[in-house]
Amino acid sequence: MTPIWVTMLVAVLSVFGALGAQWLNTMRAFRLAEIERRAKREERHQQNREDTYAKFLVAARALRPALRSGTGEAALAALRDAAAYIELNAPELADRALAAVLDSGERWAELVLTSPPTAPVIKEADEEFHQAVRAMRDLMRNDLASE
């Protein structure tokens, strides 16, 4: 026969072992849930940036036809709205490149109103705007590739 104290020791160790295993499993599940939440948050952030950048590029591409048809102010407003989302989602891009796009777009729109359509200054403003958009697009691509 085994002494009673050995039986009691085995029983106590079994209870603590079961509780310890349960605690370890709970902690492991908590860490896994945290990792999953972080991955989903990063995925949503990435998707939000992609959507924001796409809306901006669509608004930038719509400016040329709008200026030709006389609805440039509405297109500029759409471009400014899209730029505001970039300022919120990617402030590091909003400093110089975004300001260059907006400034060149507004300058181009002003020149369209004050100059004949075939004036060289219009073509220069058009090219300046598209160069600024290309630079911004390259920065957006690099931003999306880095995440």
Side-chain angles (χ1 to χ4, degrees):
M1 268 277 220
T2 36
I4 191 80
W5 66 269
V6 173
T7 306
M8 292 301 285
L9 180 64
V10 168
V12 168
L13 288 177
S14 297
V15 168
F16 282 123
L19 290 175
Q22 183 62 36
W23 180 77
L24 285 174
N25 283 335
T26 301
M27 294 307 293
R28 196 172 297 137
F30 179 74
R31 274 189 243 130
L32 181 61
E34 180 63 31
I35 290 169
E36 288 174 357
R37 279 193 300 272
R38 190 177 311 125
K40 285 181 183 178
R41 190 178 319 119
E42 288 172 3
E43 184 179 324
R44 278 193 313 267
H45 181 69
Q46 177 80 3
Q47 185 63 45
N48 192 21
R49 277 189 172 203
E50 288 173 5
D51 292 345
T52 299
Y53 293 164
K55 287 176 186 175
F56 178 79
L57 291 174
V58 166
R61 288 186 183 133
L63 188 60
R64 178 183 282 163
L67 288 175
R68 288 183 180 157
S69 68
T71 58
E73 192 56 44
L76 272 175
L79 186 64
R80 287 185 202 109
D81 289 346
Y85 287 104
I86 289 180
E87 288 177 310
L88 290 174
N89 289 309
E92 64 277 2
L93 296 180
D95 290 339
R96 280 186 261 164
L98 185 61
V101 171
L102 292 175
D103 291 344
S104 62
E106 289 173 1
R107 179 176 171 269
W108 185 23
E110 287 175 18
L111 288 172
V112 165
L113 294 175
T114 60
S115 303
T118 57
V121 70
I122 298 286
K123 291 180 183 178
E124 290 171 11
D126 179 4
E127 184 57 33
E128 179 187 342
F129 175 74
H130 285 86
Q131 283 178 350
V133 169
R134 279 191 290 273
M136 183 71 180
R137 184 185 61 221
D138 291 343
L139 288 173
M140 291 186 281
R141 281 183 183 158
N142 290 339
D143 181 45
L144 292 175
S146 69
E147 288 190 15

